[in-house]
Amino acid sequence: MTDYEAVIGIETHVELMTDSKMFCGCPVKFGEPPNTTTCPVCLGLPGALPVPNSEAIEGILQIGTALGCQVADTSFFHRKNYFYPDLPKNYQISQYDVPICHDGEIQVEVDGEDTKIGITRVHMEEDTGKSIHVGGGGRIHDAEYSLLDFNRSGVPLVEIVTEPDIRSAEQARAYGAELQRIVRTLGVSDARLEEGSMRFDANVSIRPAGAAELGTRAEVKNVNSLRSLQRAVAFEIHRQIELVESGGVVVQETRHWNEDSGKTTSMRSKEESEDYRYFQEPDLVPIEVSAAWRDAVREALPELPAARRARYQGLGVDARVAAVLVGSEDAIGDLFEGAMNAGGDGRLIGNWLSGEAVAWSRAEEVAIGDTPLVPAHLVELAEMVGDSTLSASAAKQVLAGVLAGEGTPGEVAESRDLIQISDSSVIEAEVDAVLAGHADAVASIQAGDNKPFGFLVGQVMRATGGKADPKQVSDLIRAKTGG
Ligand code: ADP
Ligand code: MG
Ligand code: ZN
């Protein structure tokens, strides 16, 4: 059997959260009554003229710069011509051969392996209106009728296109997740997949492993979450391999991901770019970006996720923990940041947040941001471990108590009776009692067989309800048995 390699390239659309639309003054607002945030420009009425939104250009420059792209001094708007009911002008203003940003990259990590995904281009366009298919399954082919809402028409849209550098469904997901984090860090979009402010199209092909040429691709649409992106790509790779193995050929087409069946189905044969009759937009001047503007954007960029992970690793946090702190819930990152600013121990606090806190939050189904936990608690808890007031395992129990609203770490440690016994005479008395009760174990150790040593330590820990300092216990047993 041939070994196949998957090749994937992703096109991502991101709606920018600007005050107004791309070419008119209508507000960009979600959830308004249908067709209330429209005007002659975004409805494509005859004679209406577009005026570009500089805030949107600023937003795309931020995205392109964050992705390490080159910024074109001069780029152009083009008309992409096609008919669809949600596109009242019968063309979408987009960019074609000269995009505003090009040649960047995103690095993704899967199972400890880093891969660079090239960014071919980042270009500016406008969104279309929305068709709402009523009746049937909510899709056009079995709908009773369709409604049109032009509120989204003309919302600034950024398209980010990768090189065909992705090799697995896991990498596709990691790419999508990192791009989403970058866009959210910049604050230019809320990048919500379920709501469509971020949308992925995955181009998937296969080829015999080691082949130089690309295979024929299928483009998969309608993936509404990172999980579906991974599932859809995995399904499509599998489908193509099975097809080719059974003597079939992959055709170039657009396929629809169906979340419920977990399958992709053919939608239409793929259009070629010639079909769109692109030509330069006569109503708009080129986009000119001065060196000063480009540099100002670069200098004002916030700390990006990759840099933030590296900074956390510099604080003693390991790579997987750093990925969790930067990756998931904002609240976790904010708590960690706050605790670091207050001088907390990075390694301990990072491990607690990514380990116990995440596990607690899943088990209790309470978001960490909705608990009383604040950075000062984490710092206090780390100090209690540092000065041996709490053992490492007791600290985890205290954290759970704080998350559950039982009070500050000091209060929880008291009320749950978890404070370590620091009085060495108390510990010594417990050690003596255990040694007296296990004379044969002591004898074995004294005869040179150290195996029972851990057992004896365990017995003392048990006798003290886990509150003795294990190191102190070991030291005492060693001194008394010669183990
Ligand atoms: P369009 O889909 O608009 O025609 P492109 O031809 O530029 O645009 O390709 C879009 C995406 O498809 C890019 O991300 C590119 O990397 C990817 N791609 C192109 N050819 C292949 C292929 N044979 N297999 C997988 N992905 C591909
Ligand atoms: Mg495409
Ligand atoms: Zn408008």
Side-chain angles (χ1 to χ4, degrees), residues 21 24 26 38-39 42:
K21 291 187 181 179
C24 63
C26 293
T38 57
C39 74
C42 54

Side-chain angles (χ1 to χ4, degrees), residues 462-478:
R462 199 155 145 197
T464 56
K467 292 186 291 177
D469 174 0
K471 179 163 185 321
Q472 211 176 333
V473 172
S474 300
D475 289 349
L476 277 168
I477 296 178
R478 191 169 296 120

Side-chain angles (χ1 to χ4, degrees), residues 331-343:
I332 298 177
D334 292 347
L335 281 163
F336 184 75
E337 239 1 92
M340 292 307 100
N341 290 337

Side-chain angles (χ1 to χ4, degrees), residues 11 201 203 217 219 221 270:
E11 297 161 274
D201 298 337
N203 295 267
R217 73 184 145 129
E219 179 170 349
K221 294 196 179 278
K270 168 86 182 141

Side-chain angles (χ1 to χ4, degrees), residues 51-91:
V51 178
N53 178 347
S54 64
E55 190 192 353
I57 305 289
E58 174 90 19
I60 194 172
L61 287 175
Q62 286 179 36
I63 294 175
T65 308
L67 301 180
C69 290
Q70 309 285 313
V71 175
D73 299 336
T74 306
S75 67
F76 304 92
F77 286 113
H78 274 70
R79 288 188 183 181
K80 179 180 182 177
N81 298 282
Y82 66 95
F83 167 79
Y84 204 71
D86 64 15
L87 187 72
K89 293 199 294 278
N90 288 347
Y91 60 85

Side-chain angles (χ1 to χ4, degrees), residues 191-378:
R192 294 169 90 100
L193 296 161
E194 332 73 62
E195 286 166 19
S197 53
M198 184 174 211
R199 314 194 274 271
F200 298 120
D201 298 337
N203 295 267
V204 180
S205 66
I206 56 162
R207 62 182 173 188
E213 273 171 36
L214 292 175
T216 304
R217 73 184 145 129
E219 179 170 349
V220 182
K221 294 196 179 278
N222 192 45
V223 283
N224 298 328
S225 67
L226 292 169
R227 185 169 169 268
S228 341
L229 176 62
Q230 179 172 346
R231 286 177 73 206
V233 169
F235 174 85
E236 190 53 28
I237 294 170
H238 179 73
R239 182 190 73 85
Q240 292 184 13
I241 292 176
E242 293 231 303
L243 181 64
V244 171
E245 280 289 298
S246 62
V249 283
V250 176
V251 293
Q252 182 157 333
E253 63 182 350
T254 304
R255 298 180 67 87
H256 179 92
W257 166 247
N258 188 310
E259 186 67 46
D260 297 328
S261 69
K263 295 181 172 161
T264 64
T265 47
S266 181
M267 266 169 90
R268 53 177 141 96
S269 67
K270 168 86 182 141
E271 61 293 330
E272 300 290 339
S273 89
E274 304 84 77
D275 298 335
Y276 289 117
R277 295 288 181 269
Y278 276 98
F279 63 85
Q280 209 169 310
E281 168 59 68
D283 291 338
L284 290 165
V285 295
I287 309 173
E288 308 247 337
V289 180
S290 67
W293 191 5
R294 202 184 52 211
D295 295 346
V297 168
R298 177 167 294 121
E299 275 153 34
L301 280 188
E303 182 183 39
L304 296 170
R308 198 163 145 213
R309 285 191 295 265
R311 176 163 62 84
Y312 288 180
Q313 284 181 254
L315 295 170
V317 171
D318 66 49
R320 281 183 52 190
V321 171
V324 176
L325 297 176
V326 175
S328 39
E329 222 184 308
D330 279 351
I332 298 177
D334 292 347
L335 281 163
F336 184 75
E337 239 1 92
M340 292 307 100
N341 290 337
D345 178 312
R347 191 177 171 75
L348 271 180
I349 294 173
N351 287 345
W352 286 331
L353 284 171
S354 64
E356 282 66 38
V358 168
W360 181 91
S361 153
R362 286 208 188 112
E364 302 294 321
E365 295 181 12
V366 176
I368 292 171
D370 294 340
T371 71
L373 183 67
V374 295
H377 292 146
L378 294 162

